[in-house]
Amino acid sequence: MTHEKLLARILLTRVIEPGDEVGGRWVREFGVGGVVRRLQEGGAALPGVSGKRWAGLVARAEAARPRQDLAAAQDAGVRFVAPGDAEWPAQLDDLGDARPLGLWVRGRASLRMWALKSVAVVGARACTEYGAHMAATLAAGLAEQGWVVVSGGAYGVDGAAHRGALGAGGATVAVLACGVDRPYPRGHTQLIGRIAEQGLVIGELPPGEHPTPSRFILRNRVIAALTRGTVVVEAAHRSGSLVTARAAQRLGRHTMGVPGPATSALSAGVHDLLRGEAVLVSDVADVVELVGDIGELGPDRRGPVLPRDLLEPVARQVLDALPGRGTAGPDAIARAAQTAPDDALARLYELRALGYVERHGDGWKLTRQAVMSVRDARGPC
């Protein structure tokens, strides 16, 4: 990309709001240079906007100072990555006309390479201790397995996810709804600084720009498009993290939810997702099995191995044939175990040596150890 085209794109980041599909269509149809020329000429409006709105866009273009923005960014250690650049993540092109004009990137890593194996972890700002714990645990586990954790840098679940990844010595990306040189929220200035040192801080807005409610919502489409899947940890019915999840669904990405208490309003939005197309996840293995490459599967879901599981099948059958209370004779045990009396008797002596049964006269009964083993095998009611 030539320097002039770079400056033209930077100018448009001052004029066109993130996610503006009308502006994106102009760029696709007329090219960046063509749109900038029309704005600077101040002539007839481009299609799709009123005269009043066009006048506002022209005024924005007149006030834009792309060379100053680029210089300010470079002074802050920030670079501008545009579509077509080697570092541009191609999956953002799935957004169509809502694709970012470019991204301001703070940090040393390659955004394109990191995005190839990334998962979004998002959720409520006012999360519970449970939500913060789950977000941090999932993020740390993902980071330990080589996944990049992407979130929005906000309070609550976002912050817990970033901290979990950083604490595990892993990679994390914060997608901001403001200039990347102006950390928001202010209370996360130190955290976002750590992310910039160990990971990446990215955003669509030029240096110095402040966040607005609409910019937060539109930022979420970038989180959804950038990653292989989105995990929602705690979200009320109107949570912005649900916007991220629904954007992920529209883009054909995996959508996952961590269930919470049925009585928690902060999990109501997640439960709605789970009643739809989202997949329930409870740990890192669940997430990796869903978003990972072929062969990158989670472990089999099994309970702990109990001592009785190590018995030979016939011995287990004989053990299961004994009554829960009282005694039984060898013939009755053999019939219940579907084996010969001599074999059943041999297995009973074997089980006695292992501490599972004891002999009372001509009958046999379970020891306390065996009763507890059977209960553990059957699980709670």
Side-chain angles (χ1 to χ4, degrees), residues 172-235:
T172 187
V173 177
V175 185
L176 304 187
C178 56
V180 297
D181 63 329
R182 179 176 292 185
Y184 186 90
R186 293 288 180 86
H188 273 181
T189 298
Q190 185 176 1
L191 173 62
I192 292 171
R194 283 184 63 203
I195 295 171
E197 291 174 4
Q198 191 170 321
L200 291 172
V201 179
I202 67 173
E204 298 177 74
L205 291 157
E209 278 295 300
H210 62 278
T212 64
S214 63
R215 286 173 172 177
F216 279 119
I217 295 298
L218 290 164
R219 175 272 311 272
N220 293 342
R221 82 196 193 287
V222 176
I223 295 176
L226 195 63
T227 54
R228 288 199 195 177
T230 294
V231 183
V232 183
V233 183
E234 286 197 327

Side-chain angles (χ1 to χ4, degrees), residues 31 104 109 353:
W104 301 88

